[in-house]
Amino acid sequence: PLACVLTGGSSFPEDAFAAETAALAPMVADGLAEIAGPVVRITEAGRFFMRTIAAVFDGYLGTGRGRHSRAV
């Protein structure tokens, strides 16, 4: 499984990733990811959706003309 820690050090407010974790809620409900504190873990079932899950954290996605391919 893949995991990442949502932290920016002491300079980030505790709710810095609130919008992203809220956007992950449906994926968590579907068992594709798990959130435990600042750790987001992609489950075995979520392996094929890694790109979609990671896109939640892409600040450039949806800000204009497409520069990257989209997940199918």
Side-chain angles (χ1 to χ4, degrees), residues 16-31:
F17 294 101
E20 289 84 354
T21 54
L24 285 174
M27 296 175 212
V28 170
D30 289 339

Side-chain angles (χ1 to χ4, degrees), residues 18-67:
E20 289 84 354
T21 54
L24 285 174
M27 296 175 212
V28 170
D30 289 339
L32 304 177
E34 299 171 345
I35 300 174
V39 177
V40 175
R41 181 180 162 275
I42 297 175
T43 65
E44 191 66 30
R47 271 187 21 203
F48 298 107
F49 300 95
M50 243 187 260
R51 188 173 182 172
T52 304
I53 294 167
V56 169
F57 299 96
D58 186 348
Y60 292 105
L61 190 65
T63 60
R65 199 169 153 208
R67 298 186 313 189

